Amino acid sequence: MIYEPKCKIDIETASESKIGQVDFEHIEFGKIFTDHLFECDYKDGAWQTPKIRPYGPFSLDPGARVFHYGQAVFEGMKAYKDEQGGIWLFRPDENFRRINKSAKRLAIPDFPEDYFFEGMKTLLQLDSDWIKPGLDNSLYVRPYVIATEAAIAAAPSREYKFVIMCSPAKAYYSGEVRVVFEESFSRAADGGVGFAKAAGNYAAQFYPTELAGKKGFQQIIWTDANTHEYLEEAGTMNIFFRVGDKLITSPTNDRILDGVTRKSVIQLAEDMGIACEVRRIKVQEIKDAAKNGELKEIFGAGTAAVISPISGFGHGGDTFELKKLENSYASKFKSRLVGIQHNEGDDPHNWRYAVN
Ligand SMILES: *Cc1c(COP(=O)(O)O)cnc(C)c1O
């Protein structure tokens, strides 16, 4: 049974599924894609009738503006299946709001809400066999928009393509993650695009991250571009510090992405009676806390890894390793979040969104 979208979507289903060729026990993140793709083009001042079709390439004119000026934004979310076959999204309204906020900053037109939700729901039901039950499994959903007009003057495109593609994912245990607090490069500046999921933000992080990798750090914690004295976020995750029994995370602003996982952790901390301060965090404060043993945990929060514990950090030639903790806050937040996402446990804030 296929979901009946509440707006018009042209649907062409795949004649054959690729799912038989997939080894779901050994999936590399983001390398395998499901049978269908959602696409919607913008031209003549309007989003055209969306379509869902068999997954496969599309062709673009080499003059498409996205290739020249990077006019592109994206989102990252996940779909989950419970033991009864129910399909769920987690706070998708936040992702919908955010992609349009990102789009606005890059002069990309708003995408309609019904196309977003009806397109995603229909796509997820067509590819529902790709969503495996079990807390370790999910389907990563990647909506994005690119500027497609063939015109290489530096100006906003008059044509766009909105796409939703899906990729099965296992919970990933990234191993030990050690981070460096960045001292010279910057990810985002005041008045810039740091708050947006703009494609170029990620390209600009690869080189500094490679340099950090050569020094034994898997990721960078970005500091404020003006002084490099305040900790902001990781490249694809917001960041939390536990000092004593208290959590600290940086406030969001135009340099920091307003993560759904971050705001969920802040709410869960309140529910669990864990104090959480949202305020600027000095590099020196965290180094001092590490030296005097008060720094208990650092973890990242983002859709892909949910909660990602960080085992140590480097700054200014010093390195610090954190002791492994039983019953860490990181593990508590992770199991609570993953439970809610998979329709286990109560959902007091109505974060779950039923797809079928
Ligand atoms: C996507 C992203 C996050 C995490 O956001 P979620 O909504 O929790 O997935 C954090 N920082 C950056 C820079 C991101 O791109």
Side-chain angles (χ1 to χ4, degrees):
M1 184 199 73
I2 290 169
Y3 175 79
E4 281 290 326
K6 293 185 189 66
C7 62
K8 183 169 164 42
I9 299 177
D10 291 333
I11 299 176
E12 182 200 339
T13 54
S15 54
E16 213 181 326
S17 175
K18 300 174 290 191
I19 199 166
Q21 303 158 28
V22 178
D23 174 3
F24 278 86
E25 288 308 307
H26 304 95
I27 289 179
E28 189 183 341
F29 180 76
K31 293 277 283 182
I32 292 167
F33 307 108
T34 60
D35 290 324
H36 297 92
L37 184 77
F38 172 91
E39 251 183 297
C40 185
D41 291 324
Y42 181 93
K43 60 179 184 199
D44 303 329
W47 291 101
Q48 307 295 304
T49 303
K51 55 178 184 258
I52 289 176
R53 61 155 175 100
Y55 186 92
F58 44 69
S59 67
L60 291 179
D61 192 287
R65 293 195 200 253
V66 66
F67 297 138
H68 307 273
Y69 306 114
Q71 205 188 359
V73 298
F74 69 95
E75 266 305 319
M77 45 211 292
K78 279 177 173 175
Y80 312 88
K81 194 177 265 176
D82 65 28
E83 298 299 331
Q84 288 73 46
I87 301 172
W88 303 90
L89 290 164
F90 183 74
R91 309 185 74 174
D93 46 318
E94 296 281 346
N95 302 90
F96 171 69
R97 247 202 310 272
R98 194 168 64 191
I99 198 166
N100 278 340
K101 196 170 143 195
S102 299
K104 183 171 187 187
R105 180 63 181 80
L106 273 84
I108 296 172
D110 259 26
F111 195 65
E113 186 165 3
D114 56 341
Y115 284 13
F116 183 86
F117 282 96
E118 298 303 306
M120 191 169 310
K121 283 199 263 193
T122 311
L123 182 64
L124 289 174
Q125 305 226 17
L126 275 170
D127 285 341
S128 67
D129 289 347
W130 293 79
I131 317 172
K132 300 296 179 192
L135 297 181
D136 271 358
N137 299 316
S138 63
L139 185 70
Y140 188 80
V141 181
R142 166 55 60 88
Y144 66 92
V145 199
I146 52 174
T148 52
E149 185 191 6
I152 57 172
S157 181
R158 279 164 295 207
E159 293 173 10
Y160 298 88
K161 186 183 285 295
F162 188 103
V163 177
I164 306 174
M165 56 192 286
C166 303
S167 173
K170 283 279 240 206
Y172 64 67
Y173 300 102
S174 35
E176 298 266 283
V177 177
R178 296 171 73 254
V179 297
V180 64
F181 297 171
E182 181 60 43
E183 289 172 79
S184 53
F185 292 103
S186 297
R187 190 191 89 89
D190 293 338
V193 295
F195 69 88
K197 271 182 134 60
N201 284 346
Y202 304 83
Q205 296 184 110
F206 295 154
Y207 175 65
T209 305
E210 269 181 10
L211 294 181
K214 290 187 181 137
K215 296 184 178 154
F217 300 105
Q218 287 75 37
Q219 291 204 29
I220 292 173
I221 304 299
W222 297 99
T223 50
D224 72 289
N226 296 330
T227 67
H228 298 290
E229 282 180 24
Y230 292 91
L231 294 157
E232 300 209 316
E233 65 162 322
T236 58
M237 295 187 295
N238 297 108
I239 193 96
F240 286 82
F241 299 89
R242 174 182 172 186
V243 176
D245 286 333
K246 192 175 66 188
L247 278 178
I248 319 174
T249 192
S250 178
T252 54
N253 54 37
D254 60 4
R255 301 183 307 277
I256 300 183
L257 194 115
D258 186 6
V260 181
T261 318
R262 172 187 176 278
K263 67 173 75 162
S264 304
V265 166
I266 293 171
Q267 180 63 57
L268 290 179
E270 188 182 320
D271 297 355
M272 293 172 180
I274 295 170
C276 181
E277 291 179 0
V278 179
R279 60 164 172 83
R280 301 188 80 193
I281 309 162
K282 264 209 139 139
V283 170
Q284 193 57 49
E285 168 186 359
I286 297 303
K287 289 178 83 171
D288 291 344
K291 279 179 201 149
N292 69 27
E294 282 281 283
L295 181 69
K296 306 289 184 204
E297 294 180 53
I298 307 177
F299 58 87
T303 297
V306 192
I307 301 290
S308 183
I310 288 164
S311 64
F313 70 90
H315 178 264
D318 302 324
T319 57
F320 299 87
E321 308 301 328
L322 296 179
K323 282 210 206 75
K324 271 219 168 60
L325 276 191
E326 297 288 317
N327 289 319
S328 64
Y329 285 179
S331 63
K332 283 186 187 148
F333 291 127
K334 181 160 187 173
S335 62
R336 185 79 178 98
L337 277 172
V338 168
I340 294 173
Q341 289 166 341
H342 288 80
N343 195 28
E344 289 183 9
D346 58 341
D347 177 24
H349 306 290
N350 289 317
W351 288 341
R352 283 195 283 257
Y353 176 96
V355 171
N356 57 353

